[in-house]
Amino acid sequence: MVRAFAMGLVLAATLVQTGCGNGAATRYDLDSTGQNFGQKILYNNKVDIVFIVDNSTSMAQHQNRLNSQMPTLVSALQSLKMDYHIVSISTSMGLDGNGGQFLGSPKVLTPATPNLQALLQQRIALGDTGSNNERGLYSMETILSPSYLTTEGQGFLRDEALLAVIALSDENDKSGKTASYYASFLDKLKPADAEGRKSWIFNFIGVLENSSACRTFNDYSEVGTIHMQLADISGGNKESLCSNSLASAVTNIKARIVQILTDFYLKTKPIKTTLKIAVNGVLVQEDANNGWTYFEEDGKYIIRFHGNSIPPADADIRVDFTPTENG
């Protein structure tokens, strides 16, 4: 069992079991060691992030907008004490391209990397002199292949980590394969957990609709159809790059990744009015902006934290409730 970070969580009802490790189903919430009342809970704070950056003509302006939001992303990951790996790849495959490889040195950025923010921004600001035949998904497939991960890319991908892909492009992918092909590739690489939840998520920042309000180069616009389909398959975010700021795009993507990592799944259905949740001894109110919400989805009972109530790694959490008779 790979141990992530511990959060003290006392439950008045038993919690859903999880598993992790090589080839096993991986969950991103509560660990099976928390089945007994009053026990310490472990949950997985590990996330491996791949930025696919389109470096074709006209993309420099969009790279710069994304770059301006990197301090916010890094700050959020640091404040929640996430254990992350970050790499960047380009969409330029071929003899003269730099796609299909991790860019920069060190190739993998972690919380311990000196000058992390500046190095990450260098990996986003790739310029716009790359190939106009954007094959970012082929680039992704290449760096996630066994031949790359066991050589130059060794140490990036962890079995127990959530894989989060963030693609930035102003055109549709030209790799020549369907979204279902890449979804199948990622499903095999990162198998779903025992309850069918995906262990990967694909997020897209690009052209979402063919509109005169969203033109990127020489009055040209191309919808990122394949990227959008991958986002839909994985439950990821689709964000428009046709904005003066990508602040909301990055905020929404960050929030979705954090949701997957910090959602709490209860084994027993609670009587909602009896739910009481405290973080570090302070009662947290039910609030969709800066508190918690409870919802049921596909027969699962889920507590989700929001805003400044999302607990960091070392928080002590107490969840009390009365289960329903038929829960």
Side-chain angles (χ1 to χ4, degrees):
M1 178 66 68
V2 180
R3 295 167 69 90
F5 67 81
M7 301 182 76
L9 176 59
V10 182
L11 296 176
T14 56
L15 300 174
V16 67
Q17 291 187 346
T18 66
C20 59
N22 294 329
T26 302
R27 286 290 298 273
Y28 303 105
D29 40 80
L30 303 181
D31 184 270
S32 58
T33 56
Q35 290 299 298
N36 298 321
F37 180 86
Q39 293 296 302
K40 200 97 171 183
I41 300 298
L42 304 178
Y43 90 71
N44 197 343
N45 68 331
K46 295 184 179 181
V47 56
D48 296 334
I49 301 174
V50 178
F51 280 96
I52 304 177
V53 181
D54 184 346
N55 62 336
S56 65
T57 304
S58 81
M59 281 301 299
Q61 58 180 323
H62 305 301
Q63 296 167 12
N64 291 336
R65 288 171 184 161
L66 180 59
N67 241 343
S68 68
Q69 302 306 316
M70 288 303 98
T72 299
L73 176 63
V74 171
S75 176
L77 294 173
Q78 300 282 41
S79 66
L80 294 174
K81 302 184 179 178
M82 294 296 180
D83 180 359
Y84 54 85
H85 288 177
I86 303 177
V87 297
S88 174
I89 61 176
S90 84
T91 58
S92 297
M93 297 295 288
L95 294 177
D96 298 326
N98 59 354
Q101 59 184 311
F102 297 158
L103 300 175
S105 179
K107 296 184 181 302
V108 180
L109 304 178
T110 75
T113 302
N115 302 315
L116 168 65
Q117 182 177 303
L119 291 175
L120 177 56
Q121 290 179 314
Q122 289 175 13
R123 286 156 176 73
I124 302 297
L126 300 183
D128 56 6
T129 60
S131 172
N132 287 326
N133 185 29
E134 295 94 332
R135 294 189 288 170
L137 295 179
Y138 179 32
S139 183
M140 176 192 73
E141 183 181 15
T142 302
I143 59 96
L144 293 178
S145 67
S147 60
Y148 190 81
L149 290 174
T150 55
T151 53
E152 188 175 339
Q154 188 171 19
F156 166 66
L157 193 69
R158 297 167 290 180
D159 288 338
E160 69 279 13
L162 172 70
L163 173 62
V165 181
I166 303 172
L168 174 73
S169 180
D170 63 354
E171 294 190 29
N172 197 24
D173 188 78
K174 306 299 193 304
S175 299
K177 296 178 180 176
T178 64
S180 59
Y181 169 86
Y182 289 108
S184 178
F185 168 77
L186 292 169
D187 281 339
K188 291 176 183 177
L189 179 73
K190 301 290 295 184
D193 66 24
E195 295 182 358
R197 293 207 305 162
K198 289 190 178 297
S199 299
W200 60 275
I201 183 171
F202 190 96
N203 304 277
F204 176 53
I205 304 174
V207 180
L208 306 185
E209 60 181 353
N210 194 357
S211 167
S212 59
C214 187
R215 302 292 180 178
T216 60
F217 180 67
N218 287 342
D219 201 35
Y220 179 75
S221 178
E222 185 175 54
V223 176
T225 304
I226 297 176
H227 302 101
M228 293 170 65
Q229 291 171 347
L230 272 174
D232 288 338
I233 290 170
S234 66
N237 282 45
K238 298 173 293 187
E239 305 289 340
S240 175
L241 57 65
C242 295
S243 170
N244 291 330
S245 171
L246 293 181
S248 62
V250 173
T251 296
N252 293 339
I253 290 172
K254 179 265 297 179
R256 184 69 186 105
I257 293 171
V258 170
Q259 281 177 2
I260 295 174
L261 292 167
T262 61
D263 276 356
F264 285 75
Y265 282 64
L266 306 180
K267 183 177 181 180
T268 303
K269 181 177 181 177
I271 299 174
K272 184 174 179 295
T273 55
T274 68
L275 275 167
K276 293 183 179 179
I277 303 173
V279 175
N280 290 331
V282 178
L283 194 66
V284 179
Q285 299 299 316
E286 182 180 4
D287 188 315
N289 295 315
N290 290 298
W292 60 268
T293 54
Y294 168 80
F295 62 100
E296 299 176 15
E297 184 176 83
D298 298 327
K300 303 177 182 66
Y301 318 118
I302 306 169
I303 294 171
R304 176 171 292 169
F305 290 95
H306 304 275
N308 57 26
S309 290
I310 298 173
D314 54 357
D316 184 78
I317 302 175
R318 180 181 176 90
V319 178
D320 292 306
F321 63 88
T322 301
T324 60
E325 291 184 2
N326 59 357

